[in-house]
Protein backbone atom coordinates (compact mmCIF):
# COMPACT_ATOMS: atom_id res chain seq x y z
CA UNK A 1 0.00 0.00 0.00
CA UNK A 2 0.86 3.67 -0.13
CA UNK A 3 0.56 6.18 2.71
CA UNK A 4 0.78 9.98 2.48
CA UNK A 5 1.26 11.74 5.80
CA UNK A 6 0.76 14.03 7.58
CA UNK A 7 -2.49 14.83 5.85
CA UNK A 8 -3.53 17.58 6.35
CA UNK A 9 -0.09 19.18 6.16
CA UNK A 10 1.31 22.69 6.49
CA UNK A 11 4.41 22.20 4.29
CA UNK A 12 6.39 18.96 4.11
CA UNK A 13 4.78 15.55 3.77
CA UNK A 14 6.03 12.01 3.23
CA UNK A 15 5.03 9.27 0.86
CA UNK A 16 5.56 5.76 2.24
CA UNK A 17 5.50 2.67 0.02
CA UNK A 18 5.11 -0.84 1.43
CA UNK A 19 7.08 -2.14 -1.58
CA UNK A 20 9.68 -0.26 -3.61
CA UNK A 21 7.79 1.28 -6.53
CA UNK A 22 10.55 0.96 -9.16
CA UNK A 23 9.75 3.55 -11.80
CA UNK A 24 7.94 6.48 -10.19
CA UNK A 25 6.35 9.72 -11.35
CA UNK A 26 4.91 12.10 -8.74
CA UNK A 27 2.45 14.78 -9.91
CA UNK A 28 0.53 17.28 -7.80
CA UNK A 29 -2.44 19.19 -9.15
CA UNK A 30 -4.54 22.07 -7.80
CA UNK A 31 -8.25 21.47 -7.27
CA UNK A 32 -8.82 23.21 -10.63
CA UNK A 33 -6.56 20.70 -12.42
CA UNK A 34 -3.36 22.74 -12.90
CA UNK A 35 -0.12 20.73 -12.60
CA UNK A 36 2.08 22.44 -9.97
CA UNK A 37 4.71 19.76 -9.30
CA UNK A 38 6.21 16.82 -11.19
CA UNK A 39 9.20 14.63 -10.39
CA UNK A 40 10.37 11.50 -12.21
CA UNK A 41 12.46 8.66 -10.80
CA UNK A 42 13.67 5.99 -13.25
CA UNK A 43 14.39 3.34 -10.60
CA UNK A 44 13.33 4.26 -7.07
CA UNK A 45 14.35 1.51 -4.65
CA UNK A 46 13.42 3.27 -1.40
CA UNK A 47 10.27 3.14 0.68
CA UNK A 48 9.98 6.80 1.78
CA UNK A 49 10.09 10.17 0.03
CA UNK A 50 9.83 13.52 1.85
CA UNK A 51 8.54 16.40 -0.27
CA UNK A 52 8.12 20.13 0.26
CA UNK A 53 6.10 20.47 -2.93
CA UNK A 54 3.34 22.48 -1.21
CA UNK A 55 5.71 24.99 0.39
CA UNK A 56 4.56 28.52 -0.42
CA UNK A 57 1.32 27.29 -2.00
CA UNK A 58 -2.07 28.55 -0.83
CA UNK A 59 -4.07 26.41 1.53
CA UNK A 60 -6.62 24.14 -0.07
CA UNK A 61 -7.14 20.67 -1.47
CA UNK A 62 -4.59 19.23 -3.88
CA UNK A 63 -4.55 15.98 -5.84
CA UNK A 64 -1.43 13.84 -5.78
CA UNK A 65 -0.93 11.21 -8.47
CA UNK A 66 1.74 8.53 -8.15
CA UNK A 67 2.48 6.47 -11.26
CA UNK A 68 4.60 3.42 -10.52
CA UNK A 69 5.60 0.26 -12.32
CA UNK A 70 2.77 -1.38 -10.38
CA UNK A 71 -0.03 1.06 -11.25
CA UNK A 72 -1.40 4.51 -10.45
CA UNK A 73 -2.37 5.81 -7.01
CA UNK A 74 -4.39 9.02 -6.62
CA UNK A 75 -5.17 10.76 -3.34
CA UNK A 76 -6.24 14.16 -2.01
CA UNK A 77 -3.90 16.10 0.23
CA UNK A 78 -5.04 19.08 2.28
CA UNK A 79 -2.71 22.03 2.84
CA UNK A 80 -3.22 24.38 5.79
CA UNK A 81 -1.20 27.53 6.36
CA UNK A 82 0.48 27.45 9.76
Amino acid sequence: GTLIWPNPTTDEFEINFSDSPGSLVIEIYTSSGSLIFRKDFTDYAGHNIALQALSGKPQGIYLIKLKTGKGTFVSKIIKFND
Side-chain angles (χ1 to χ4, degrees):
T2 303
L3 175 67
I4 298 172
W5 69 279
N7 189 9
T9 185
T10 55
D11 186 8
E12 185 175 274
F13 60 93
E14 282 193 24
I15 304 169
N16 299 101
F17 301 99
S18 56
D19 296 315
S20 296
S23 64
L24 173 64
V25 177
I26 302 169
E27 296 176 339
I28 300 177
Y29 296 87
T30 64
S31 58
S32 62
S34 297
L35 179 67
I36 59 163
F37 178 87
R38 179 183 166 100
K39 185 147 185 163
D40 295 45
F41 300 88
T42 51
D43 190 16
Y44 190 78
H47 291 273
N48 304 313
I49 297 176
L51 294 173
Q52 292 184 334
L54 297 178
S55 178
K57 304 293 184 214
Q59 69 180 22
I61 298 172
Y62 294 83
L63 197 68
I64 183 165
K65 184 186 287 188
L66 307 172
K67 299 178 197 173
T68 72
K70 298 172 176 141
T72 300
F73 174 83
V74 178
S75 182
K76 289 180 183 171
I77 188 162
I78 299 169
K79 161 96 188 313
F80 286 125
N81 291 335
D82 52 357

